[in-house]
Every structure is written in structure tokens, then in C-alpha cells.
Amino acid sequence: MPRVPHTNMSELRQDLTSGDWVLIAPGRATRPKFLDKKRPARKPTPKSTCPFEDLKKNGNWPPSFVSPDEKNWKIAVIPNKYPALERGAVCSVPFRHGIYHVRTAVGTHNLLITRDHNRHFTDLSRSEAANVFGVFQAFHDMAAKDKCAAYISTFYNYGPDAGASVWHPHYQMLTLPIIPPHNVRSLRGANEYFKKYGRCVRCDIIKVERKKKARVVFENEHAIAIAPYASKRPFEVSVLPKKHWDSFRDTPPAAVRDIALALQAVLQKMKKYLSDPDLNFFVHDTPLDHRDYRHHHWHIEVVPKTSLEAGFEFSTRIDINVVDPDIAAATLRGKKL
Ligand SMILES: [Zn+2]
Ligand SMILES: [Zn+2]
């Protein structure tokens, strides 16, 4: 069995922005066992039971957005029938339940549907993948004008273990009346780094990782995909614009296209080298409150479902990652372990 290139010792690594600790514990660091598990073949649900085949019949017509047109639509955006948040007559208001703090959950919950029942993000053509990101960007732009929205959460669930209850490819966009605590901590960490060194932490990470190469999974002209040094989960990957853009909303189309293509390349590698795992990807954009976030460098995170949170993670909020990110990146570049 090949050996790990550096050390078998476990390490506690700290995320440079969020401050979160992760226990990188590769153990004997031979090939992770779950890579050899035979996954049962995916079973698409029949089109006849799919809620997204006939949008008219299912009460989803007209969509709030279609591309290129209603007859030949390839992308449609519809409100989620079972929204996690709903628009109210007024924006979210805080109130008290005895000693407890509460807010009304005012927001929006939209789904972006691509037309083909069976082609997930990995299988789209390059221009279709870029178009999906063009629509995400338009929605982030629109959400920035919504005075009730503080943050937009855009994500994709692939497979039942990653939370997808419907087979047909669909992407979710939720506006929230609060900035999620994880994002607040990450923004605070990036701001502290910026104040201390006068530079963006993620620009520094990109510089270091491009020089070292070990954790680079994929690169094109405008985007780079990296297995983060303090990866919380096995085979987690971040996709970032190489040039500093604080917000997704301001990023020029050529860079957005390259980010979509880099993400697609990463997902194709996961399908090939990790036996098509269930996974989530999500966009980490700047909040919508129009403050100065020049220290933030927006990006996408991809997390394949390869492990479960258990007692240690719940009790400490420290994740255990059994795959060294160097090994994760090498595996995703196609290196045999
Ligand atoms: Zn369908
Ligand atoms: Zn940057």
C-alpha cells in the first residue's frame, strides 16, 4: 500500500476565516475504505410522477423566470411549493417569547429547474452550466434590491443523503432576514486578517496553494478549485475566482462562466473518482446589507456526503476528517492511491 507523503499524525487545523477547528485524522492513511464501497446504481424516479415535468399541470405556470422562452424553456425559476420562508406584508420583526428571542421568518424560497429530467449539473453542456450561474447571479442581483433580505443562500442537493427529495435537477435560492452566524464569523475572520495584513485572506490562500500545487484540484483562466487546508469533511473542495471579487453580484460574465465550468469539472471528478457520491454545493456571497465587504472573496463550497456527524462532532463542533486534504486533491486529480 502506498504511504502518505508526509505524516500519519493527526492534526488540529484551524480555518483561517471562521476560526473553526478540524481534526485531520487520516489514521493509517491508506486508501479510505469508503472509496471501495460499491454504491447501488442511482434509480431515477419516473417522469410520470415528477412534479417538474409539466409545470402548468402542477400549478407552477407561469414561472417567475424562463430561459430562453416559455415554449422552449431550458431553465425556469418557480416558487417552492413548500417554502421554508414566506414573504410577509412587512419585513421580519423581532419579538420575545418569554425569555426567548424570535423573529418572523420573512423571506423567499425559489427553485431553479433545468428542463431535462436526468441531466444533473455534471451532465449539462458547458453553456448550459454557465447559464445556470448566469441566472443565479441575476437572482443575487435581484435579492440585493429586496429590503427585507439580509442574505441569499443558493445551493444544490444531489442525492437523497444530501437532502434531495425529488430526482429532477433543481437548485434552491432562499433569501433570509438574518445573516447566518457561520457567515458572520467567516466575514469577521476575513476582516481581521485584512486589518492585520492589508490583504484578502483568500487571495493569500490562492497564492500559497498555486505555488504549492498539492491541494489544487482544477484550474482554468479565471477560477481555481482547492481542497482546503482545514477541510472539515473528506474531499471537500472550494471553487474561487482567482481575481479578487468580494461579491458574486459584481463578478464579470467571463469569470462567472469559468467558475461554473470549474465547479462542473470538480463534480465530474467526484463522480469519476469517488463513485458518484451524494453531495451539496453552495455559494458563499456577501450579505445584502450594502456594508463594506471588500475583505470577503466570494466562492463556492462542494461537500460530498462521505461521512456522518456523530457524538464527537455534535459535542465539540469540531469535525473529524479522515482524509488528508493533500490526498483528497491527489485523488480528485486522478492519482491512484
Ligand atoms: Zn422531471
Ligand atoms: Zn481576495
Side-chain angles (χ1 to χ4, degrees):
M1 282 290 192
R3 291 173 62 81
V4 170
H6 39 98
T7 173
N8 284 351
M9 281 265 303
S10 295
E11 284 178 357
L12 277 162
R13 294 185 178 180
Q14 190 173 28
D15 187 283
L16 266 180
T17 54
S18 66
D20 290 344
W21 287 94
V22 57
L23 185 58
I24 306 282
R28 287 174 214 276
T30 50
R31 184 179 168 83
K33 281 196 184 70
F34 54 79
L35 287 182
D36 296 325
K37 259 195 208 160
K38 276 264 175 292
R39 234 176 270 275
R42 292 194 178 273
K43 280 198 195 123
T45 51
K47 282 187 181 180
S48 55
T49 61
C50 176
F52 305 139
E53 285 309 304
D54 191 337
L55 294 181
K56 273 185 193 148
K57 197 175 116 194
N58 287 295
N60 288 314
W61 202 263
S64 45
F65 174 88
V66 275
S67 169
D69 56 62
E70 289 192 0
K71 185 159 178 270
N72 306 298
W73 71 270
K74 292 271 190 254
I75 294 176
V77 177
I78 57 171
N80 192 333
K81 276 210 163 153
Y82 310 100
L85 300 97
E86 289 186 78
R87 204 177 272 293
V90 290
C91 295
S92 171
V93 284
F95 60 98
R96 300 288 286 257
H97 256 164
I99 62 169
Y100 300 110
H101 294 242
V102 194
R103 296 192 72 100
T104 49
V106 175
T108 59
H109 190 167
N110 285 288
L111 303 178
L112 182 158
I113 320 283
T114 47
R115 183 133 196 188
D116 196 310
H117 183 70
N118 289 310
R119 286 191 310 132
H120 285 264
F121 193 77
T122 318
D123 317 307
L124 297 178
S125 71
R126 288 158 65 87
S127 64
E128 287 169 332
N131 286 344
V132 167
F133 267 73
V135 178
F136 285 163
Q137 194 182 35
F139 260 74
H140 280 234
D141 252 344
M142 213 162 78
K145 294 177 188 100
D146 176 351
K147 64 179 183 353
C148 295
Y151 191 79
I152 180 161
S153 166
T154 293
F155 61 90
Y156 176 58
N157 301 335
Y158 174 62
D161 288 347
S165 52
V166 172
W167 163 262
H168 193 118
H170 61 288
Y171 307 76
Q172 308 196 34
M173 298 178 287
L174 283 80
T175 57
L176 306 173
I178 57 163
I179 306 171
H182 172 73
N183 301 77
V184 170
R185 277 193 297 137
S186 178
L187 287 162
R188 194 182 299 140
N191 194 24
E192 279 163 14
Y193 191 95
F194 191 80
K195 280 201 275 195
K196 198 166 170 187
Y197 301 106
R199 298 187 306 269
C200 158
V201 59
R202 290 197 172 83
C203 282
D204 274 8
I205 289 172
I206 291 169
K207 202 167 154 194
V208 166
E209 297 296 342
R210 281 185 85 193
K211 201 165 163 196
K212 186 172 165 61
K213 294 190 174 70
R215 286 181 288 271
V216 175
V217 175
F218 181 84
E219 200 174 342
N220 58 24
E221 188 183 346
H222 296 289
I224 186 164
I226 294 166
Y229 180 75
S231 291
K232 286 170 172 255
R233 305 290 166 89
F235 301 102
E236 174 187 323
V237 171
S238 293
V239 181
L240 307 101
K242 280 191 206 170
K243 199 176 157 194
H244 182 88
W245 295 103
D246 56 356
S247 103
F248 177 28
R249 307 185 287 281
D250 299 329
T251 306
V256 171
R257 180 185 164 82
D258 269 8
I259 286 157
L261 298 184
L263 172 66
Q264 193 181 41
V266 168
L267 299 190
Q268 284 165 350
K269 286 168 187 294
M270 287 180 175
K271 189 169 189 175
K272 184 170 177 186
Y273 299 118
L274 307 181
S275 325
D276 194 16
D278 289 8
L279 57 83
N280 306 101
F281 74 69
F282 48 92
V283 178
H284 261 184
D285 198 5
T286 46
L288 305 170
D289 56 1
H290 305 288
R291 290 205 191 152
D292 180 2
Y293 287 114
R294 79 182 73 174
H295 49 277
H296 184 60
H297 187 131
W298 82 274
H299 57 280
I300 295 161
E301 294 180 26
V302 188
V303 187
K305 275 275 176 255
T306 50
S307 56
L308 286 176
E309 284 186 319
F312 179 75
E313 288 85 346
F314 282 122
S315 64
T316 60
R317 285 287 148 207
I318 295 173
D319 285 289
I320 300 181
N321 179 355
V322 295
V323 181
D324 183 314
D326 289 38
I327 302 293
T331 307
L332 290 172
R333 288 194 305 265
K335 191 177 170 198
K336 286 263 178 295
L337 291 177

